[in-house]
Amino acid sequence: MDSLTQVVLGGAVGYAVLGNKVGYKAAIYGAILGTLPDLDVFLPYSGDVEAFTYHRGFSHSLLIHLLISPFIAWLLIKCHQATAIYKKHWFWLVFLCLSTHAILDSFTVYGTQLLWPITEYPFAVSNLFIIDPLYTLPLLFAFIVIFLPKIKPARVTKINHFALAISCLYICWSLTAKFYIDKKVTIALNDRQIEVDHYLSAPAPFSTLLWRVLVMSDGQYYEGYVSVFDSASDVSLEAYHSSDALLTNIKDEWDVQRLQWFTKGFYSVKAEEQNIVLSDLRMGAECRYVFNFILGEQTSTGIVKSDVEKVSDRPDLSMLGNVWDRIWDASVSLAPLKKSGVCVNRES
């Protein structure tokens, strides 16, 4: 999730654990701890694939959180000797602020290695978009209230607990919506006799009312958007081709295998001029995938491995207005326009 969400979640959790004993300091330390795991982005990884696939690794491991929490709690007690009698509370503040960060991240589609080093498997429930105002706003409100001097502590505690409860209920709603969407898409896929190798559903930007679905099927993939108000017959999927055979000569390279593993099979391979590009289909949308990697190049002797380079392509924000329209109207298309096989803006 985005940094603001992690900060206010950490603050709310910290205050819920120790706010009635140390006041707003619990929220401050909670906010700091709530963003601490994401500092792994500043580590000097050796390459783009390493930075991409090791992010949300050891720093997001619940096992590591359990091991380092006593040490961090000890440091905090050293800074606040008068609170030494709350040693257990400090431990739970640290552990819960760190672990809720990781668990919340695992609700997005990216992948979080919750059980590192036992397994590097990137857990991803994909029931929340990386930025979701409806999840964040209650926690932000409670975080602000904590620092307002004229509100009584007992009332602050109630508001904070209420915000945490609302955020948890929203997560439950998103899981329910995801189940409902998956059920409708399964019916649509069966009706159209589409063979499914891999299937994924994830919320569209800033909403849990509209979901992007992705289906991998024997050398091609389907992308579509489904609203909670759609029926199974409204499900519309666009087919796209992936030239996986372009990886044949470099299939044993570590970078290739690592990306295939990390994306869980949700990737496409295309030739762009002389470059062989693998795109992570889970993040972004057709023509605008956030993570793309140049893995090889075409030469006179065939395809050879090249220096790996990440190429980011941010989604077209002008389409966000159509996302809202698509929630209510199944006839609104979010599929990209193409001319001669090249993606263009809808205004073109």
Side-chain angles (χ1 to χ4, degrees):
M1 296 292 285
D2 63 284
S3 296
L4 175 62
T5 300
Q6 295 291 10
V7 165
V8 296
L9 173 62
V13 170
Y15 194 85
V17 175
L18 207 50
N20 61 341
K21 295 178 174 61
V22 301
Y24 68 86
K25 291 178 182 178
I28 292 175
Y29 285 119
I32 294 171
L33 291 164
T35 196
L36 186 63
D38 279 342
L39 296 182
D40 66 341
V41 298
F42 297 107
L43 294 176
Y45 295 107
S46 59
D48 288 337
V49 174
E50 289 84 352
F52 178 58
T53 62
Y54 289 139
H55 175 48
R56 295 193 186 176
F58 75 92
S59 67
H60 287 62
S61 168
L62 300 179
L63 303 177
I64 298 300
H65 295 165
L66 190 62
L67 289 175
I68 67 172
S69 290
F71 174 69
I72 297 177
W74 175 79
L75 289 177
L76 292 174
I77 292 172
K78 281 292 184 181
C79 295
H80 302 281
Q81 294 282 356
T83 66
I85 58 174
Y86 306 127
K87 181 168 61 175
K88 290 183 179 179
H89 292 82
W90 278 115
F91 165 80
W92 284 113
L93 182 148
V94 174
F95 177 71
L96 290 176
C97 289
L98 293 175
S99 60
T100 52
H101 174 119
I103 292 171
L104 184 61
D105 272 352
S106 72
F107 290 148
T108 66
V109 76
Y110 188 94
T112 307
Q113 298 173 36
L114 294 176
L115 297 180
W116 185 96
I118 294 177
T119 175
E120 285 189 313
Y121 181 80
F123 294 90
V125 184
S126 64
N127 59 299
L128 291 177
F129 189 67
I130 193 171
I131 300 174
D132 193 323
L134 290 181
Y135 177 83
T136 305
L137 286 175
L139 296 172
L140 177 60
F141 175 76
F143 189 74
I144 293 172
V145 167
I146 289 170
F147 296 95
L148 297 179
K150 294 184 179 181
I151 302 181
K152 295 180 179 180
R155 187 168 180 79
V156 173
T157 298
K158 289 182 179 180
I159 292 173
N160 190 61
H161 286 170
F162 182 73
L164 286 169
I166 291 296
S167 68
C168 290
L169 287 174
Y170 186 75
I171 290 173
C172 292
W173 149 252
S174 69
L175 291 169
T176 302
K178 181 180 177 70
F179 175 80
Y180 183 55
I181 292 293
D182 291 345
K183 187 175 180 180
K184 286 193 286 191
V185 175
T186 299
I187 295 173
L189 291 172
N190 290 336
D191 289 344
R192 299 170 202 184
Q193 298 182 333
I194 296 177
E195 185 174 337
V196 179
D197 295 330
H198 303 289
Y199 169 79
L200 173 70
S201 61
F206 316 128
S207 174
T208 51
L209 295 177
L210 184 68
W211 293 68
R212 175 176 177 259
V213 297
L214 188 62
V215 179
M216 308 302 296
S217 178
D218 191 25
Q220 63 181 349
Y221 57 95
Y222 297 85
E223 180 189 62
Y225 292 86
V226 185
S227 168
V228 294
F229 303 113
D230 290 349
S231 65
S233 61
D234 291 326
V235 175
S236 178
L237 299 172
E238 297 289 334
Y240 303 96
H241 180 68
S242 176
S243 303
D244 293 13
L246 293 172
L247 296 179
T248 300
N249 291 351
I250 56 175
K251 64 181 180 180
D252 295 326
E253 296 292 339
W254 181 88
D255 298 298
V256 174
Q257 294 184 348
R258 182 74 178 180
L259 288 172
Q260 290 175 323
W261 164 78
F262 189 74
T263 60
K264 301 177 182 177
F266 293 101
Y267 65 88
S268 69
V269 183
K270 297 178 182 178
E272 297 183 2
E273 297 180 348
Q274 300 302 312
N275 296 322
I276 307 302
V277 179
L278 183 149
S279 298
D280 186 336
L281 300 178
R282 301 172 302 161
M283 287 164 277
E286 186 63 20
C287 296
R288 292 292 186 272
Y289 292 111
V290 179
F291 296 104
N292 311 278
F293 296 86
I294 298 175
L295 299 177
E297 60 180 337
Q298 301 183 79
T299 69
S300 58
T301 58
I303 295 174
V304 299
K305 184 181 183 299
S306 65
D307 292 335
V308 177
E309 179 183 353
K310 183 179 76 173
V311 181
S312 294
D313 193 353
R314 297 296 176 180
D316 183 6
L317 297 181
S318 66
M319 295 294 292
L320 290 180
N322 290 340
V323 169
W324 177 255
D325 293 336
R326 176 59 187 86
I327 292 173
W328 313 105
D329 187 353
S331 67
V332 174
S333 176
L334 298 181
L337 292 178
K338 290 189 175 184
K339 292 182 179 180
S340 301
V342 178
C343 297
V344 297
N345 293 329
R346 285 193 168 268
E347 293 79 7
S348 299

